[in-house]
């Protein structure tokens, strides 16, 4: 079997050549007041993947069906030299409200979806963080 090295955050392993990486990274931390802030990053390298405009339309339609008390908000302004779309929403989850920004990015060989979530009181922080994420985004060589 022909294998290649796959690099993860803390380890590397041999995997069959020709694999397709569908990893989802889920990062979270707590603020000083104990609130949860989260970032989920997904990638799609499928050659038949939808465009970011199609992803955005699909997501917005699903938000309306699945998220209680959905309120669509003005997304933060970002600079990104590749096709992208942003959705900013506020919705009710259990007994709390969530502010969420979802960034859809079209790169040469993949789509990337980054979802930033926190309580609405952290909106300014999330919006700033989305901008920093965009400024720092860099595609490395394949694993």
């Amino acid at each position: 079997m022909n294998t290649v090295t796959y690099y993860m955050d803390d380890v590397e392993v041999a995997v069959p050549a020709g694999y397709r990486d569908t990893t989802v990274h889920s990062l979270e931390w707590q603020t000083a007041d104990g609130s949860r802030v989260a970032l989920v990053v997904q990638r799609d390298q499928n050659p038949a993947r939808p465009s970011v405009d199609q992803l955005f339309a699909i997501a917005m339609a699903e938000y309306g069906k699945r998220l209680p008390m959905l309120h669509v908000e003005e997304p933060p302004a970002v600079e990104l030299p590749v096709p992208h779309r942003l959705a900013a929403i506020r919705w009710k989850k259990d007994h709390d409200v969530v502010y969420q920004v979802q960034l859809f990015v079209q790169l040469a060989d993949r789509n990337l979806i980054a979802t930033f979530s926190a309580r609405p009181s952290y909106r300014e922080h999330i919006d700033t963080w989305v901008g920093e994420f965009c400024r720092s985004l860099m595609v490395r060589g394949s694993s």
Side-chain angles (χ1 to χ4, degrees), residues 5 8-9 22 37 52 58 61-62 64 94 103 123:
T5 302
M8 290 181 256
D9 222 17
T22 60
V37 179
V52 292
I58 291 166
E62 285 298 310
D94 301 325
L103 170 65
R123 178 184 179 144

Side-chain angles (χ1 to χ4, degrees), residues 3-132:
T3 64
V4 296
T5 302
Y6 179 77
Y7 299 92
M8 290 181 256
D9 222 17
D10 53 348
V11 298
E12 60 184 68
V13 295
V15 296
Y19 72 93
R20 191 174 69 136
D21 188 349
T22 60
T23 305
V24 174
H25 286 90
S26 180
L27 309 170
E28 68 177 58
W29 54 96
Q30 286 191 342
T31 62
D33 69 1
S35 295
R36 181 179 157 263
V37 179
L39 168 62
V40 175
V41 179
Q42 302 164 267
R43 310 189 288 294
D44 183 357
Q45 294 175 299
N46 184 338
R49 66 191 172 277
S51 71
V52 292
D53 289 331
Q54 292 168 323
L55 282 173
F56 177 82
I58 291 166
M60 294 306 286
E62 285 298 310
Y63 293 159
K65 293 177 194 173
R66 296 184 181 191
L67 301 179
M69 298 180 67
L70 174 68
H71 184 273
V72 178
E73 304 205 357
E74 186 67 30
V78 299
E79 291 185 28
L80 204 53
V82 294
H84 66 281
R85 293 293 299 266
L86 276 165
I89 59 173
R90 187 184 305 238
W91 54 284
K92 187 166 175 70
K93 181 179 181 183
D94 301 325
H95 300 291
D96 211 350
V97 176
V98 176
Y99 173 67
Q100 184 171 306
V101 173
Q102 197 158 44
L103 170 65
F104 305 90
V105 181
Q106 186 174 322
L107 301 170
D109 66 342
R110 71 194 76 198
N111 286 340
L112 181 124
I113 302 170
T115 305
F116 307 79
S117 304
R119 286 187 170 152
S121 60
Y122 288 94
R123 178 184 179 144
E124 187 175 310
H125 175 77
I126 292 294
D127 289 355
T128 299
W129 181 27
V130 171
E132 182 60 30

Side-chain angles (χ1 to χ4, degrees), residues 125-143:
H125 175 77
I126 292 294
D127 289 355
T128 299
W129 181 27
V130 171
E132 182 60 30
F133 181 94
C134 290
R135 281 187 294 281
S136 67
L137 179 62
M138 179 176 52
V139 177
R140 299 185 309 162
S142 296
S143 297

